[in-house]
Amino acid sequence: MLFERNGWYYLMYGPTCCFCEQGSGAIVMWAEHPLGPWTDMDTDINPKKSMRGARVAKAQCNFVMQVGDQYLY
């Protein structure tokens, strides 16, 4: 998922999918231009909650929407 906020571009992706047993991660990267270069924020907003690799939410990135001055994933 790619979106722009205040002149910065954000890319969120996961190496697995919502249909996988463990759910999908949501790794965040940012750049000043949509073609990069991209910088890894070293953040997974859907982290693993157990040693077996299950995620907090068994979901995958779909969209980001703005609610007031905040963004909701």
Side-chain angles (χ1 to χ4, degrees):
M1 172 173 42
L2 175 68
F3 66 98
E4 181 268 336
R5 178 178 184 242
N6 297 329
W8 294 93
Y9 292 87
Y10 295 89
L11 175 65
M12 295 177 13
Y13 70 95
T16 54
C17 68
C18 63
F19 299 108
C20 300
E21 180 181 340
Q22 67 270 28
S24 178
I27 296 167
V28 183
M29 300 183 83
W30 65 270
E32 294 183 68
H33 189 275
L35 297 178
W38 290 92
T39 301
D40 189 344
M41 294 182 71
D42 197 28
T43 301
D44 185 343
I45 61 173
N46 190 18
K48 293 179 181 178
K49 67 178 182 175
S50 71
M51 294 300 288
R52 290 187 47 216
R55 301 283 177 169
V56 171
K58 292 197 175 186
Q60 86 183 50
C61 302
N62 189 14
F63 61 88
V64 172
M65 67 181 202
Q66 187 172 0
V67 180
D69 62 347
Q70 300 295 313
Y71 285 78
L72 178 64
Y73 158 71

